[in-house]
Amino acid sequence: MQPLHLSIVVCCLLALGHACQDSASVPTTAKDWWETAQFYQIYPRSFMDSDGDGIGDLNGITSKLEYLKELGVTAAWLSPIFKSPMVDFGYDISDFFDIQPEYGTLEDFRNLIRRANELDLKIILDFVPNHSSNENEWFKKSVRREKGYADYYVWHDGKVNAATGEREPPTNWLQYFRGSAWEWNEQRQQYYLHQFAVQQPDLNYRNPDVVAQMKRVLRYWLNEGVAGFRCDALPPLFEVLPDGQGQYPDEVVSGATEDAEDRDYLTTTYIENQPETVDMVYQWREVLDDHRRIHGGNSSVLLIETYSPAWFTMQFYGNRTVNGAHLPFNFNLITVMEKSGLSAANVQQAIDLWLQNMPAGRTANWVLGNHDKRRAASRYGLEHIDGMNMLVMILPGASVTYQGEELGMTDGQISWEDTVDPWGCNSNADIYEQYTRDPERTPFQWTSGSNAGFSMGPTTWLPLADDYQTVNVETESAANHSHLTIYKSLIALRRSSKTLQNGSTKYAVLNDDVFVLKRSLSGAASIVYVCNFGSAAVTVDLTEFDKSLGKDTLRLLVRSLDSAKSEG
Ligand code: GLC
Ligand code: MG
């Protein structure tokens, strides 16, 4: 067998063996739907506007479910659609049991679910357990110390400064969105804790009524036919218990930044990653499993948002005796690159970090972006978007696409004046770009026409990204080869390939810049991913990685847009 010398500029997928379609006789273990799912995150405010107010809505989503069907995704996760004053664009919920009027009605939601069922698409909702809006009835009642609600939130008298005699917050704790995590409430004459914005008071999970209430929220939406939840912001769910005098400990200076308003200025030992948080997730899993036992149907899933270190994150999966979340999000492909840049070695490191820490028998998952991170095509470079989309679909387990990643959408340019994200607004004109999440939330690009086909109205809630005339569904669908057509072939391959669903995984770095990944399953065609993360064309001998990769046996399946792969 001749060795294969492959010159690659960016990325390609190859099949090894005769058949690309695996033979039906290949023995495999049956997998539940979520274990090989392609999840798709919709940011409802920016997906599709049906009524011309410049804000995406539920009927807009329903009108585009066929697009998701054509993409081939398994399930769509909707960022919050519940009643909210929109301080944090839906992550500040004033009624967990109702729909935000500018997004539609409960009837519209039921219609969305009905249509999704017809198309065999699953819908997952965002569950925001850590906090509510300060406009939630629960909070108003808590402020008034109404019976049953007095301890719904984390209240504290604060401290009296011995030198000045003045009242001060109970601790130095910082919120995520810059500044103190404590806010004085005049009416109740106490401080309340808010790990996010002032308008997002933290619920008190040491109160069993709160625990029960939030389980009601889960059951309510399960009864409406959702296929599970993405659980928001888990690390700050619990804080450490106060001491015998009711005092909480201060965090110490971390040394990570000089900026004393930035959350990273202090450690988060007492306000994140507490063991009670893991147990709460196990309880929510029980709610889901019980619901299925009673009502039947497919399993519904828990996806967990945590940017915590592996020792904490992996506990969410459960242990030998109890099941936890189906998929705690794996953000390593985001966070490792944020720290050290995109390279073949760092891709390998990000993958190792998950696969080597994941408990046996659990399912991996791979995430490139979301509404909190700059768009993947901007972070990795547009030339790498196909390579990264390929990577997450070739790796074992589930993967998650943030709306627009399939098109190679890039960040919008948002001025300080147009900034609306609280994280940006809580900073200033000089530094807001470090914090604001508006650039990754600009409207989805459907066409090259007015408002990118997102809205018929005169304006949109955030300006469009500059590239919408070339980067959009209409233009990319019409092209023979585009980010979108590549993405669709990847999903099609993933759905049809037993090797990708069940095969073993082997990977390595070649010639410093090239990352190679092989999935193989006995009796079926292997699939090989080869990606050059360097800036110059390079020739690699794949037989150095795997002896079976000879020239005559390989067939090109998918190549990236810029790839000028040539065999020689
Ligand atoms: C999560 C969300 C983010 C939100 C925060 C507070 O991190 O993804 O958008 O601001 O939680 O709910
Ligand atoms: Mg609208």
Side-chain angles (χ1 to χ4, degrees):
M1 191 187 296
Q2 263 185 293
L4 178 72
H5 292 280
L6 194 65
S7 299
I8 32 171
V9 179
V10 188
C11 193
C12 58
L13 274 190
L14 307 159
L16 171 68
H18 323 283
C20 163
Q21 291 297 325
D22 300 327
S23 80
S25 61
V26 178
T28 51
T29 21
K31 290 233 148 88
D32 203 351
W33 69 268
W34 54 271
E35 294 178 273
T36 56
Q38 180 61 47
F39 293 93
Y40 186 93
Q41 181 191 355
I42 291 182
Y43 194 69
R45 208 171 176 78
S46 298
F47 193 57
M48 181 67 196
D49 174 22
S50 72
D51 60 4
D53 65 355
I55 295 171
D57 45 52
L58 295 182
N59 288 339
I61 296 172
T62 307
S63 74
K64 293 297 186 185
L65 288 175
E66 255 156 67
Y67 169 70
L68 299 186
K69 185 71 194 171
E70 271 168 42
L71 283 183
V73 302
T74 324
W77 143 39
L78 313 186
S79 276
I81 53 170
F82 317 106
K83 218 163 172 201
S84 163
M86 293 288 156
V87 168
D88 191 18
F89 298 102
Y91 285 96
D92 49 321
I93 299 174
S94 53
D95 187 346
F96 284 83
F97 302 100
D98 206 357
I99 305 284
Q100 168 70 355
E102 64 194 347
Y103 292 166
T105 63
L106 192 57
E107 251 338 287
D108 295 333
F109 180 71
R110 289 179 174 152
N111 190 37
L112 188 159
I113 295 282
R114 210 172 300 128
R115 185 71 191 123
N117 284 339
E118 280 165 19
L119 293 169
D120 194 25
L121 286 169
K122 295 191 164 58
I123 301 293
I124 288 168
L125 291 183
D126 217 307
F127 175 54
V128 186
N130 179 68
H131 44 267
S132 73
S133 159
N134 59 341
E135 293 188 21
N136 195 302
E137 280 305 313
W138 306 337
F139 187 70
K140 293 183 185 165
K141 290 179 181 175
S142 197
V143 167
R144 298 192 294 261
R145 296 181 199 257
E146 272 185 34
K147 193 158 168 268
Y149 292 90
D151 297 327
Y152 242 62
Y153 295 83
V154 184
W155 294 101
H156 201 282
D157 293 334
K159 292 188 295 212
V160 178
N161 183 312
T164 64
E166 305 227 338
R167 194 190 289 278
E168 284 178 357
T171 63
N172 64 351
W173 298 351
L174 293 165
Q175 56 161 305
Y176 284 94
F177 298 155
R178 300 178 58 78
S180 173
W182 295 100
E183 180 75 5
W184 178 251
N185 182 273
E186 254 326 293
Q187 196 179 341
R188 178 156 159 155
Q189 291 286 301
Q190 274 191 313
Y191 288 94
Y192 65 85
L193 178 71
H194 58 92
Q195 296 228 33
F196 291 89
V198 171
Q199 299 89 339
Q200 291 168 297
D202 271 47
L203 286 157
N204 175 17
Y205 276 81
R206 303 208 181 266
N207 178 347
D209 290 350
V210 169
V211 173
Q213 179 72 276
M214 296 313 279
K215 289 181 181 172
R216 275 185 61 217
V217 172
L218 293 174
R219 289 192 200 98
Y220 180 86
W221 294 106
L222 285 171
N223 285 333
E224 289 292 337
V226 307
F229 303 90
R230 173 267 190 185
C231 305
D232 179 72
L234 261 292
L237 198 72
F238 277 85
E239 300 71 38
V240 79
L241 274 168
D243 65 17
Q245 279 76 51
Q247 297 306 315
Y248 292 109
D250 277 334
E251 295 282 357
V252 299
V253 172
S254 73
T257 168
E258 304 271 277
D259 181 348
E261 300 284 294
D262 190 308
R263 184 167 171 105
D264 290 343
Y265 183 74
L266 300 176
T267 56
T268 51
T269 314
Y270 306 118
I271 60 174
E272 285 186 14
N273 305 345
Q274 303 300 309
E276 294 92 333
T277 301
V278 176
D279 179 66
M280 192 52 54
V281 170
Y282 297 171
Q283 294 188 35
W284 297 336
R285 171 67 185 259
E286 229 178 287
V287 171
L288 266 60
D289 289 351
D290 284 349
H291 188 271
R292 187 182 185 198
R293 230 183 333 271
I294 298 163
H295 301 278
N298 292 313
S299 28
S300 44
V301 293
L302 287 178
L303 316 179
I304 297 286
E305 188 206 26
T306 161
Y307 288 90
S308 306
W311 70 263
F312 189 68
T313 301
M314 293 300 167
Q315 295 181 54
F316 284 114
Y317 271 120
N319 53 45
R320 283 203 190 86
T321 54
V322 56
N323 277 322
H326 301 74
L327 304 166
F329 281 141
N330 169 5
F331 294 133
N332 293 339
L333 289 170
I334 300 175
T335 51
V336 171
M337 311 310 154
E338 255 172 9
K339 228 165 109 197
S340 334
L342 182 63
S343 70
N346 290 340
V347 165
Q348 176 164 33
Q349 193 205 331
I351 297 171
D352 281 346
L353 251 174
W354 197 267
L355 294 183
Q356 292 175 5
N357 287 302
M358 188 173 74
R362 303 289 174 181
T363 301
N365 73 95
W366 312 92
V367 185
L368 294 182
N370 54 46
H371 64 296
D372 296 325
K373 296 288 176 187
R374 293 310 170 85
R375 287 203 173 102
S378 296
R379 253 181 301 119
Y380 301 126
L382 188 56
E383 69 281 20
H384 289 299
I385 192 65
D386 303 321
M388 294 308 279
N389 279 336
M390 273 183 217
L391 179 64
V392 296
M393 291 213 223
I394 301 312
L395 282 163
S399 61
V400 190
T401 298
Y402 175 54
Q403 65 180 45
E405 279 169 7
E406 74 277 26
L407 303 173
M409 270 179 70
T410 57
D411 291 334
Q413 304 292 321
I414 314 285
S415 66
W416 168 244
E417 287 70 31
D418 284 339
T419 295
V420 290
D421 175 32
W423 208 339
C425 295
N426 285 353
S427 67
N428 62 55
D430 296 328
I431 57 169
Y432 79 100
E433 281 171 304
Q434 285 171 50
Y435 298 101
T436 178
R437 297 166 297 177
D438 292 330
E440 58 265 28
R441 299 175 177 181
T442 58
F444 191 82
Q445 294 160 197
W446 295 101
T447 71
S448 54
S450 162
N451 288 336
F454 162 73
S455 173
M456 332 163 294
T459 53
T460 55
W461 78 281
L462 276 177
L464 294 164
D466 294 338
D467 58 9
Y468 79 91
Q469 284 173 344
T470 49
V471 180
N472 61 67
V473 174
E474 181 186 55
T475 307
E476 294 194 28
S477 306
N480 287 330
H481 197 211
S482 64
H483 302 304
L484 181 58
T485 64
I486 292 167
Y487 182 91
K488 282 189 192 169
S489 357
L490 289 169
I491 295 203
L493 180 67
R494 195 178 152 89
R495 293 183 83 114
S496 66
S497 164
K498 293 224 163 56
T499 304
L500 292 185
Q501 289 160 17
N502 296 284
S504 61
T505 306
K506 165 183 169 184
Y507 52 89
V509 173
L510 297 181
N511 294 30
D512 295 338
D513 282 333
V514 178
F515 183 76
V516 199
L517 168 71
K518 182 185 172 199
R519 302 291 313 279
S520 34
L521 183 70
S522 120
S526 296
I527 291 185
V528 185
Y529 166 92
V530 191
C531 192
N532 177 7
F533 287 98
S535 45
V538 60
T539 299
V540 288
D541 177 356
L542 289 181
T543 57
E544 280 174 19
F545 163 67
D546 188 305
K547 287 211 172 43
S548 68
L549 300 183
K551 185 174 186 325
D552 302 329
T553 52
L554 288 168
R555 230 161 31 77
L556 178 66
L557 291 176
V558 187
R559 61 178 179 84
S560 61
L561 203 53
D562 298 330
S563 160
K565 187 200 83 68
S566 61
E567 290 172 33

